[in-house]
Amino acid sequence: MYSNSLTEMGDLEIGEIMDILALAAEFKANIRSHRGVASGLLMASLFLEPSTRTRGSFEAAMKRLGGDTITTTDFKTSSMEKGETFDDSIRIWGNYCDLIVLRHEESGAPRAAANISSVPIINAGDGINEHPTQALCDLLTLKEEFGILEGLNIAICGDLRNGRTVHSLAYGLLLLGNSVTFVPGTGLDLTEGTKKYLREHFGSVITELPPSQVGYGDLYEGDCEAKAYMFHKPRSGLEFDHKEKIIYTEVRPDALYFTRCQAERGSSANQAGYPKVNLNNLETEFFSRAIVMHPLPRLDEVSVLLDDHPRSRYFKQAANGVPIRMALICLMLGLKPWSSAATL
Ligand code: NCD
């Protein structure tokens, strides 16, 4: 793990991800009986951007473990407003606590903090870059659903350009040997840089999925200019039959993961060109096995009529935030042992 901090998914090895998920499952089975574990320890939650789930679940996690939290939620109430540098602020906070959880509008801020901090840093979302602890909640939800985290096909839909959860989840899924289908909103595709990064890391093959041939076209109200495409391992060799049609069953998703349009980061959604899911979509054969996920908050990309649907999982994903963050706190502070050798 990078300097004992978690700044992006690339800091984690497969064994470490598995340790976090396994410990989270243990905590989840009995969430109220671990109050002695972090007693006497303090976590600083520095949230310099809005948050509901991430901050709430980190603080709940630390308190469920018997530790305590100190919080800052905006620049205006800290000395950064008086001109104090970010580096100095991190050094000071590090004197007051055992762990810093940082959300920041700038990509790379947690990594910069990790370089100078005397205590571990956890990235709770940095600009358009990454949100690794959300990806861990997503992976736990998938593991609970499918029992394994390999060989699945997860369709990530919406604002792929500026949605940071997308980047962390895609990395984690490909690392573990899954396929990822990207279903972008018009103008909101992954950047070429992100595609290159993923391809270089995982040697994935990219297959375009023309909407007319697969069901993803049904997620758009109008014609979408952007095409869905799939990152998959060369060995899974999506084949084409003699009519050049993609073999349907291989591209059907196990999960549909929606994201909102990140207006505060400059994204704008053309309504007709933004993928959304409703009851009718889930009833089609193409989506008949897919669960519905979303890191939340949602706008209208997941219909509220799906909230009680047997295949909706977005509230469960949010609930998984507490055990995941309990596990992460314990492992990073050495309160529980990592089982894999390649750590700390
Ligand atoms: C996400 C985030 O902050 O990136 N929210 C979350 O932490 N669950 C998603 C979003 O804001 O769209």
Side-chain angles (χ1 to χ4, degrees):
M1 194 178 272
Y2 180 80
S3 71
N4 192 17
S5 288
L6 175 58
T7 63
E8 53 196 39
M9 279 309 265
D11 292 338
L12 293 173
E13 302 191 359
I14 291 178
E16 292 171 319
I17 294 177
M18 290 309 170
D19 282 355
I20 295 164
L21 300 185
L23 188 56
E26 251 180 66
F27 283 138
K28 187 171 172 176
N30 206 346
I31 205 136
R32 292 190 177 81
S33 53
H34 307 279
R35 286 194 61 82
V37 180
S39 127
L41 295 175
L42 264 183
M43 179 186 88
S45 51
L46 310 186
F47 277 71
L48 306 176
E49 271 193 341
S51 172
T52 300
R53 279 149 289 274
T54 308
R55 184 161 77 89
S57 61
F58 259 114
E59 296 187 358
M62 190 57 171
K63 292 188 174 182
R64 290 249 182 238
L65 292 166
D68 217 333
T69 62
I70 45 179
T71 303
T72 277
T73 53
D74 81 62
F75 282 106
K76 291 205 166 43
T77 57
S78 86
S79 285
M80 279 192 264
E81 178 69 4
K82 300 183 203 163
E84 182 161 71
T85 64
F86 175 70
D87 286 12
D88 280 357
S89 300
I90 293 295
R91 285 192 186 96
I92 301 303
W93 278 102
N95 291 331
Y96 300 156
C97 64
D98 304 287
L99 172 72
I100 294 176
V101 177
L102 175 67
R103 171 167 285 194
H104 201 285
E105 65 188 353
E106 276 176 39
S107 297
R111 174 60 75 93
N115 284 332
I116 47 150
S117 173
S118 56
V119 299
I121 302 284
I122 300 181
N123 179 3
D126 60 327
I128 63 168
N129 184 37
E130 285 228 24
H131 193 347
T133 68
Q134 177 64 46
L136 292 166
C137 303
D138 304 337
L139 291 175
L140 178 60
T141 309
L142 287 166
K143 181 140 196 306
E144 289 174 336
E145 190 69 30
F146 299 106
I148 46 156
L149 274 180
E150 198 185 347
L152 303 172
N153 174 23
I154 310 304
I156 306 186
C157 315
D159 189 350
L160 312 183
R161 174 174 291 272
N162 291 327
R164 55 196 175 196
T165 67
V166 171
H167 306 144
S168 297
L169 179 61
Y171 186 100
L173 288 169
L174 292 170
L175 177 71
L176 293 165
N178 300 283
S179 298
V180 181
T181 300
F182 293 102
V183 187
T186 301
L188 299 173
D189 197 357
L190 291 180
T191 62
E192 286 309 315
T194 308
K195 283 187 203 171
K196 186 161 174 270
Y197 174 78
L198 292 176
R199 198 159 33 179
E200 284 176 358
H201 262 77
F202 304 111
S204 306
V205 171
I206 303 179
T207 300
E208 289 213 353
L209 306 174
S212 56
Q213 289 186 18
V214 293
Y216 293 111
D218 295 347
L219 299 176
Y220 300 90
E221 259 169 47
D223 287 339
C224 181
E225 291 159 31
K227 285 196 179 65
Y229 55 96
M230 187 169 181
F231 269 60
H232 56 93
K233 284 204 182 137
R235 65 136 188 85
S236 73
L238 284 180
E239 289 164 30
F240 293 79
D241 69 13
H242 60 283
K243 290 185 197 117
E244 292 279 298
K245 287 204 172 144
I246 292 161
I247 294 186
Y248 194 70
T249 48
E250 289 207 31
V251 296
R252 286 169 66 205
D254 297 296
L256 285 165
Y257 184 100
F258 281 84
T259 58
R260 81 182 159 94
C261 176
Q262 307 277 310
E264 77 276 32
R265 305 188 201 287
S267 298
S268 66
N270 151 5
Q271 283 304 310
Y274 200 89
K276 296 179 189 164
V277 63
N278 59 36
L279 203 49
N280 291 340
N281 299 128
L282 291 191
E283 281 166 3
T284 63
E285 211 245 316
F286 189 69
F287 296 125
S288 60
R289 68 178 184 204
I291 58 167
V292 180
M293 301 177 70
H294 196 305
L296 303 177
R298 73 176 142 180
L299 301 176
D300 62 351
E301 55 283 342
V302 174
S303 162
V304 291
L305 298 176
L306 294 186
D307 289 357
D308 297 322
H309 192 280
R311 283 185 276 130
S312 289
R313 294 291 177 275
Y314 31 95
F315 294 126
K316 186 176 181 195
Q317 264 168 281
N320 278 342
V322 177
I324 278 290
R325 287 160 177 132
M326 288 170 80
L328 203 51
I329 291 168
C330 285
L331 290 162
M332 289 183 65
L333 291 180
L335 306 172
K336 296 275 179 181
W338 296 94
S339 67
S340 52
T343 44
L344 313 184

